[in-house]
């Protein structure tokens, strides 16, 4: 028996008259808590089930309503009891026990035993629980026993074990009796094999909006605004009622009593939540739920529960992959959590899930089908702390360093980066000058943000990537200086983003500066010096400076061949860019030969669907088209379009480029209508993805003008 628990003999103290040092109890349902002005929303099916259980008996099984604190479990049972009373179909006896604390729970069972006729010597007996259930099973009248807020099932073990059917609650043979439990615990095994769990989840967006409207009516704003606030409050009925009550009160008070930042509408309240300035009482219940949950886990032997919760709250409001971010090897990076082993960590996550603090989400359909969890949004709001931010940044840095993560430019790694990037980018706000982090944590966070920005750039989200690169650059300039290799790395990436955005002058200036500094500090043969010169040559090419671009490319190619050989990926990249210069200079024969050789080599080493292979195939199709071989070019473009659509997506800038060239080829073959339809669709997508002023969008517009379509 656990330390501090009362044994059966000690329980008899509740059998006598209550005194000031003994708990006063009532078995009456708290019907006064039900407000008829505000109906129970979004629980129609569950209400019907509970009313049926109460009216017809529970089949001898425990019926457990499980859900997060504030999800409305108690309200559903109370509503069912009151509706049956109003319909004159209620059971003859409804007993309601408060199961939050052991003394009141034991006093309640003792009072129940007295109610059903146990005599004084039976109340003092060691087998009082057996006698109680024997008497309940023998009752001829209909009855309902409700145990409310049984969040610690171990309290119900009593003389035996709840899960074995020998505790204070157990399966029974009373056809007219029903036992209903409300709890935050969702682990079915804790309630025994005969228990039936009824999940009480968050309300739908529409139902959440209805709850808010019930309190304020249209004075709070539009239905769409109510639903937006309801979504942000996680569809939690208690939080919705508190927000609705608050808004109803301030809407009804004289305007002279409003402070400048007083939320007076759904939209105001949502903005207050987003900036962390919600009304003082708005999250009070959620804060209490979080506190009780952490204390319960600490009593169960998890002293680091609060610390782990604070760290989880520092991540974005997005699915969290625990096998990547919370593995023990990563936790070793977070001071104070390094002693958590795998089994303990897994049990903690299961406990959080059982308490409704975490939701386990279904694995994605695409590999690697990682397990993900999501923190309840309101628990996340009330659990954020400075220490948790530092822990989360340390974990992210450890996670992205794992070999299995993969580079953000590699499509095979994109499913993982899709999960990691929201958290890396959310943590980016802490690496800037306004946060409380030290230099080491800021630099570590900046490294993670850089990788996430590279993922955005690989997806074609150039503007977003550019903004994140600027954040990283500011941190590294402050702590490392302008010439540090890590600072030069982010300056290189920023120049690349400017290039992708079509800002060629800024891209050229950026690459020239990086190339010069790399050459001076690391030598002209250094990997990053050659890479900067290679990218500079590409920008010069796009500026139309073909001779200058060709000179740079030939120099880089010579150095790459000497350092790495003829078929190294970097050598192939140099050959490919030199072929592009030849192509645009009108040397179509040599350009075709080079494209064919590069395509064959990449097909052999990287596979047909790799982005670099598809790029070489695209450019081969371009030179075939320029040679007048439109049929062969069209076939190649269609193959590339299928590959790029599958790998990069239909709206990726490279996919758009292939669609433009395919439309031009179709037009050259006489497919005027098909070409025009495709080009117009690409123009719309390019304006949406790149913006109407981007050079690629402008070029597409010029084609449409030339064809008389705009």
């Amino acid at each position: 028996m656990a330390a501090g628990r009362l044994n059966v003999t000690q329980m008899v103290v509740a059998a006598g008259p209550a005194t000031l040092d003994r708990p006063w109890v009532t078995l009456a349902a708290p019907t006064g808590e039900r407000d008829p002005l505000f109906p129970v929303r979004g629980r129609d099916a569950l209400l019907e089930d509970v009313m049926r259980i109460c009216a017809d008996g529970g089949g001898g099984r425990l019926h457990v309503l499980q859900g997060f604190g504030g999800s409305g479990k108690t309200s559903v049972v109370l509503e069912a009891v009151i509706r049956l009373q109003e319909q004159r179909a209620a059971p003859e006896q409804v007993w309601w026990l408060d199961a939050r604390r052991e003394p009141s729970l034991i006093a309640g069972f003792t009072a129940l035993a007295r109610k059903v006729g146990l005599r004084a010597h039976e109340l003092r007996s060691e087998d009082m629980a057996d006698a109680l259930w024997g008497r309940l099973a023998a009752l001829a009248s209909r009855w309902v026993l409700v145990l409310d807020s049984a969040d610690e099932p171990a309290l119900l073990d009593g003389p035996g074990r709840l899960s074995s059917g020998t505790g204070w609650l157990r399966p029974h043979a009373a056809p007219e009796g029903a036992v209903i439990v409300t709890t935050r615990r969702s682990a079915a095994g804790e309630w025994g094999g005969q228990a039936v769990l009824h999940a009480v989840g968050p309300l739908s967006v529409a139902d959440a909006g209805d709850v808010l409207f019930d309190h304020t009516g249209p004075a709070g704003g539009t239905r769409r605004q109510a639903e937006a606030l309801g979504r942000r409050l996680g569809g939690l009925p208690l939080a919705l009622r508190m927000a609705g009550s608050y808004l109803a009160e301030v809407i009804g008070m004289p305007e002279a009593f409003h402070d400048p930042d007083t939320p007076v509408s759904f939209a105001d309240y949502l903005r207050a939540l987003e900036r962390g300035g919600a009304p003082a009482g708005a999250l009070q219940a959620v804060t209490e739920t979080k506190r009780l949950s952490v204390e319960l886990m600490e009593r169960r032997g998890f002293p680091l529960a609060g610390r782990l919760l604070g760290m989880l709250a520092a991540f974005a409001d997005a699915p969290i992959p625990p096998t990547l971010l919370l593995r023990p090897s990563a936790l070793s990076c977070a001071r104070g959590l390094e002693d958590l082993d795998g089994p303990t960590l897994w049990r903690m996550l299961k406990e959080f899930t059982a308490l409704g603090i975490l939701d386990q989400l279904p694995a994605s359909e695409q590999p690697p089908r990682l397990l993900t969890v999501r923190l309840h949004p309101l628990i996340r709001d009330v659990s954020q702390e400075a220490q948790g931010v530092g822990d989360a940044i340390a974990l992210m840095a450890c996670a992205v360093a794992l070999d299995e993560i993969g580079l953000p430019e590699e499509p095979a790694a994109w499913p993982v980066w899709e999960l990691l990037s929201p958290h890396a980018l959310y943590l980016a706000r802490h690496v800037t000058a306004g946060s409380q982090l030290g230099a080491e944590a800021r630099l570590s966070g900046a490294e993670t943000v850089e990788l996430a920005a590279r993922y955005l750039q690989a997806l074609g989200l150039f503007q977003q990537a550019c903004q994140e690169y600027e954040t990283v650059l500011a941190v590294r300039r402050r702590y490392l200086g302008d010439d540090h290799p890590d600072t030069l790395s982010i300056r290189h990436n920023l120049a690349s983003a400017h290039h992708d955005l079509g800002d060629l002058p800024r891209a050229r200036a950026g690459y020239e500066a990086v190339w010069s500094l790399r050459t001076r500090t690391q030598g002209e043969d250094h990997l990053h010096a050659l890479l900067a010169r290679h990218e500079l040559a590409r920008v010069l090419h796009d500026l139309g400076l073909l001779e200058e671009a060709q000179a740079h490319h030939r120099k880089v190619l010579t150095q790459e061949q000497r350092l790495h050989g003829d078929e190294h990926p970097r050598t192939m990249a140099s050959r490919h860019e030199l072929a592009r210069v030849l192509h645009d200079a009108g040397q179509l024969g040599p350009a075709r030969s080079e494209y064919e050789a590069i395509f064959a080599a990449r097909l052999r080493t990287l596979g047909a669907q790799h982005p670099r292979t598809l790029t070489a195939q695209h450019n081969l199709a371009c030179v075939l088209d320029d040679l007048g071989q439109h049929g062969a070019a069209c076939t190649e473009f269609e193959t590339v379009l299928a590959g790029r659509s599958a790998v990069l997506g239909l709206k990726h800038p490279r996919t758009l480029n292939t669609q433009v060239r395919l439309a031009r080829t179709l037009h050259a073959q006489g497919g005027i209508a098909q070409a025009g339809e495709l080009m117009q669709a690409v123009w719309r997508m390019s304006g949406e993805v790149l913006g109407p002023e981007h050079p690629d969008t402008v070029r597409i517009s010029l084609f449409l003008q030339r064809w008389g379509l705009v």
Side-chain angles (χ1 to χ4, degrees), residues 38-39 41 203 206-215 237 240-241 244:
F38 301 109
R41 294 288 189 181
L203 296 181
D207 288 327
D210 285 342
V211 173
L212 293 168
F213 252 83
D214 287 340
H215 288 81
L240 292 164
R241 290 198 301 272

Side-chain angles (χ1 to χ4, degrees), residues 630-653:
H630 303 307
C634 190
T635 300
E636 297 292 341
F637 280 133
E638 288 173 343
T639 302
V640 174
L641 178 56
R644 282 184 163 175
S645 297
V647 175
L648 303 175
L650 191 63
K651 292 185 177 182
H652 192 281

Side-chain angles (χ1 to χ4, degrees), residues 106-453:
I106 294 170
F109 271 114
T110 306
L112 173 62
R114 190 185 300 111
K115 285 276 189 182
V116 298
L118 264 67
R119 291 174 297 218
H121 75 277
E122 291 176 302
L123 294 175
R124 292 191 293 271
S125 172
E126 293 282 354
D127 62 353
M128 187 186 83
D130 293 342
L132 169 62
W133 283 99
R135 189 63 57 89
L136 287 171
L139 290 178
S141 60
R142 289 184 305 155
W143 55 267
V144 174
L145 172 60
V146 178
L147 266 78
D148 193 23
S149 300
D151 296 331
E152 194 166 357
L155 296 183
L156 297 171
D157 284 341
R161 179 175 293 178
L162 171 65
S163 60
S164 300
T166 58
W168 280 116
L169 285 187
R170 54 184 68 178
H172 58 90
E176 300 294 333
V179 181
I180 300 175
V181 180
T182 71
T183 181
R184 291 187 288 137
R185 302 287 304 178
S186 64
E190 293 180 320
W191 302 101
Q194 294 296 311
V196 180
L197 263 64
H198 304 264
V200 185
L203 296 181
S204 70
V205 171
D207 288 327
D210 285 342
V211 173
L212 293 168
F213 252 83
D214 287 340
H215 288 81
T216 70
T222 66
R223 182 160 296 277
R224 184 174 181 180
Q225 290 169 333
E227 291 179 354
L229 176 56
R231 183 185 296 108
R232 180 62 180 79
L233 290 171
L236 189 66
L238 180 58
L240 292 164
R241 290 198 301 272
M242 293 176 72
S245 297
Y246 172 87
L247 287 172
E249 183 177 354
V250 297
I251 289 171
M253 69 172 57
E255 202 170 317
F257 290 94
H258 291 177
D259 293 328
D261 57 350
T262 298
V264 294
S265 68
F266 302 135
D268 287 347
Y269 203 103
L270 179 59
R271 283 190 291 269
L273 279 173
E274 294 298 340
R275 65 173 182 264
L283 301 178
Q284 182 178 353
V286 180
T287 302
E288 181 66 7
T289 293
K290 173 237 176 174
R291 183 186 67 80
L292 293 172
S293 299
V294 169
E295 288 180 356
L296 176 59
M297 288 189 65
E298 289 173 348
R299 290 197 300 273
R300 286 174 172 262
F302 301 108
L304 294 175
R307 179 77 179 273
L308 181 61
L309 185 57
M311 182 183 62
L312 291 171
F315 289 114
D317 184 17
I320 300 170
T323 54
L324 294 178
L325 290 178
L326 302 180
R327 59 174 62 194
S329 59
L331 282 171
S332 64
C333 301
R335 296 185 182 92
L337 296 173
E338 61 267 21
D339 292 334
L340 276 179
D341 57 33
T344 302
L345 179 60
W346 179 247
R347 290 198 300 273
M348 291 175 75
L349 294 176
K350 297 290 283 185
E351 286 288 321
F352 278 138
T353 303
L355 290 168
I357 287 173
L358 280 180
D359 289 326
Q360 182 172 324
L361 305 177
S364 61
E365 293 299 321
Q366 56 187 341
R369 294 183 54 79
L370 292 171
L371 166 73
T372 59
V373 296
R374 192 165 194 157
L375 196 62
H376 190 284
L378 296 181
I379 287 289
R380 179 175 169 272
D381 285 344
V382 301
S383 302
Q384 292 182 352
E385 54 188 32
Q387 186 178 48
V389 172
D391 290 342
I393 287 176
L395 253 66
M396 281 295 303
C398 280
V400 299
L402 296 171
D403 291 338
E404 64 196 71
I405 298 297
L407 295 176
E409 291 80 13
E410 296 294 333
W414 288 354
V416 172
W417 279 102
E418 183 179 359
L419 292 171
L420 293 178
S421 61
H423 303 294
L425 298 175
Y426 180 78
L427 290 169
R429 64 197 181 103
H430 295 292
V431 306
T432 55
S435 69
Q436 302 299 314
L437 296 176
E440 182 180 354
R442 291 179 197 269
L443 289 169
S444 179
E447 183 175 354
T448 304
V449 174
E450 179 184 10
L451 289 167

